[in-house]
Amino acid sequence: MLSQNEFEEIISDLTKRIEGDISWNDDEDHYPAVEFRAEVVSDAGYPISIKGSYNALAQKLSYVIIHRAAGRIYGLDLGQDHKNPNGEQVGDKHKHRWDERCRDKKAYVPPDITALITEPVTVWQQFCLESSITHNGIMQEPPPLQLDLFL
């Protein structure tokens, strides 16, 4: 289990970084979505990585920080509603932030994400800035949506 102090240490660490370019790959489980995974390195060596998922057809975008032992500890979701444990509807743009009591189940509306869901690279840049992650590389644009046409 991840303590609140450990989470706060991870999220505020300014040495978190991703080395190298990020490219999107087909998500075999959720066609026509694309996804990526990237390791996050830091001076402290936290066991964390990031998973991104984008579905242009369904208009859904997520960037999630995953801790090897605790699972999702921080994340941004665009295009999917969320209901907090207390019943509060948060809306289709929200962030999850680790809480020792609720784990990753509670979300809030982030004022720092202003880019549109159709701009996943700009959203990525805003997400990295807010979560104190330096990306030493380029995030490629997701490939254009190509749907099979049955005639």
Side-chain angles (χ1 to χ4, degrees), residues 14-23 38-43 50 124-125 128-129 132-140:
L14 300 178
T15 70
K16 294 188 308 289
R17 61 198 179 279
I18 296 172
E19 300 292 349
D21 295 344
I22 294 175
S23 58
E39 289 299 312
V40 178
V41 295
S42 65
D43 292 353
I50 291 188
W124 169 250
Q125 293 164 346
C128 287
L129 182 65
S132 301
I133 295 173
T134 300
H135 179 196
N136 295 320
I138 296 169
M139 172 180 271
Q140 304 294 326

Side-chain angles (χ1 to χ4, degrees), residues 1-138:
M1 179 73 132
L2 184 69
S3 74
Q4 195 65 43
N5 286 342
E6 289 170 318
F7 166 76
E8 297 299 338
E9 184 180 302
I10 291 169
I11 206 67
S12 65
D13 186 335
L14 300 178
T15 70
K16 294 188 308 289
R17 61 198 179 279
I18 296 172
E19 300 292 349
D21 295 344
I22 294 175
S23 58
W24 298 85
N25 302 303
D26 289 339
D27 181 342
E28 296 174 7
D29 297 326
H30 300 99
Y31 178 81
V34 290
E35 65 180 354
F36 74 85
R37 291 183 187 268
E39 289 299 312
V40 178
V41 295
S42 65
D43 292 353
Y46 304 114
I48 59 174
S49 61
I50 291 188
K51 179 184 179 205
S53 177
Y54 180 59
N55 186 325
L57 182 62
Q59 291 291 285
K60 292 183 179 183
L61 175 65
S62 293
Y63 296 121
V64 178
I65 298 176
I66 301 168
H67 186 278
R68 262 183 235 124
R72 177 177 65 175
I73 60 170
Y74 196 79
L76 169 67
D77 293 320
L78 299 177
Q80 49 196 356
D81 286 335
H82 178 80
K83 188 176 186 179
N84 278 333
N86 67 0
E88 172 193 21
Q89 284 294 128
V90 181
D92 65 352
K93 176 174 81 170
H94 60 272
K95 278 189 184 168
H96 295 264
R97 183 181 174 89
W98 179 263
D99 177 278
E100 222 170 329
R101 209 183 58 207
C102 297
R103 300 183 54 91
D104 68 339
K105 304 297 183 228
K106 191 174 176 187
Y108 64 95
V109 177
D112 55 329
I113 304 298
T114 58
L116 302 174
I117 195 168
T118 55
E119 304 171 301
V121 173
T122 305
V123 173
W124 169 250
Q125 293 164 346
Q126 292 176 346
F127 177 79
C128 287
L129 182 65
E130 194 276 334
S131 59
S132 301
I133 295 173
T134 300
H135 179 196
N136 295 320
I138 296 169

